[in-house]
Amino acid sequence: EKFGVSPDRVIDVQALAGDASDNIPGVPGIGVKTAAKLILEFGDLDTLLARAGEVPQKKRREALLEHANTARLCRKLVSLATDAPLPPDFDLTANCQPARVDIETYLAAMGFKSLLTQMNAPASTSSAASSSSPAVSNKAVATESAAL
């Protein structure tokens, strides 16, 4: 929804528009809105690049023609690897909870005094107390974070 294209075309939009935070250059002069419009019009990145000469705006057309290889490379850069090998004993359902003493040590080192107090307070009868994690409110976290 954010890019205005179907999920399978988001990578094409990102390849065209680039992403400064990830050092993805994209095609100069083409932002997210323009990229989405072009992908909607031409269908996908490969078709757009093959038919770049048909883009009516001269600057866009020239940018696409000149930076076609960059756009293709950017598509590879923004694509997620789905073939990463996993060790044979990798268990996605493994329950790895940090030790309570580790959490308390970290909170103390970071100065989260009220969170430590809440963690060490007796459990209340609320539904939050029935869960296995300590009951810590977002307000307490925000207050402690702001104090730092």
Side-chain angles (χ1 to χ4, degrees):
E1 292 177 20
K2 176 181 175 183
F3 292 106
V5 296
S6 62
D8 61 326
R9 294 292 154 232
V10 169
I11 290 172
D12 292 344
V13 171
Q14 288 179 316
L16 287 168
D19 185 348
S21 66
D22 287 331
N23 291 322
I24 310 292
V27 175
I30 296 184
V32 173
K33 289 180 184 178
T34 301
K37 179 181 172 188
L38 290 168
I39 294 302
L40 286 172
E41 183 178 341
F42 289 90
D44 60 35
L45 182 64
D46 292 323
T47 303
L48 170 62
L49 296 175
R51 296 175 47 200
E54 298 174 28
V55 173
Q57 298 83 3
K58 182 181 177 186
K59 285 187 178 187
R60 286 184 196 158
R61 179 176 58 246
E62 290 173 351
L64 288 166
L65 292 169
E66 184 176 338
H67 298 280
N69 287 333
T70 300
R72 289 183 187 98
L73 174 62
C74 289
R75 179 176 47 197
K76 288 180 184 178
L77 293 173
V78 299
S79 297
L80 297 176
T82 58
D83 58 350
L86 296 175
D89 61 342
F90 186 77
D91 183 7
L92 292 173
T93 62
N95 183 9
C96 57
Q97 298 269 335
R100 185 177 180 92
V101 68
D102 292 338
I103 294 171
E104 289 174 345
T105 302
Y106 176 78
L107 291 175
M110 295 289 115
F112 290 103
K113 294 174 188 173
S114 66
L115 290 176
L116 277 169
T117 303
Q118 287 182 19
M119 273 186 72
N120 294 319
S124 67
T125 58
S126 71
S127 62
S130 65
S131 71
S132 61
S133 62
V136 178
S137 72
N138 288 337
K139 183 178 178 184
V141 173
T143 303
E144 287 293 329
S145 297
L148 295 177

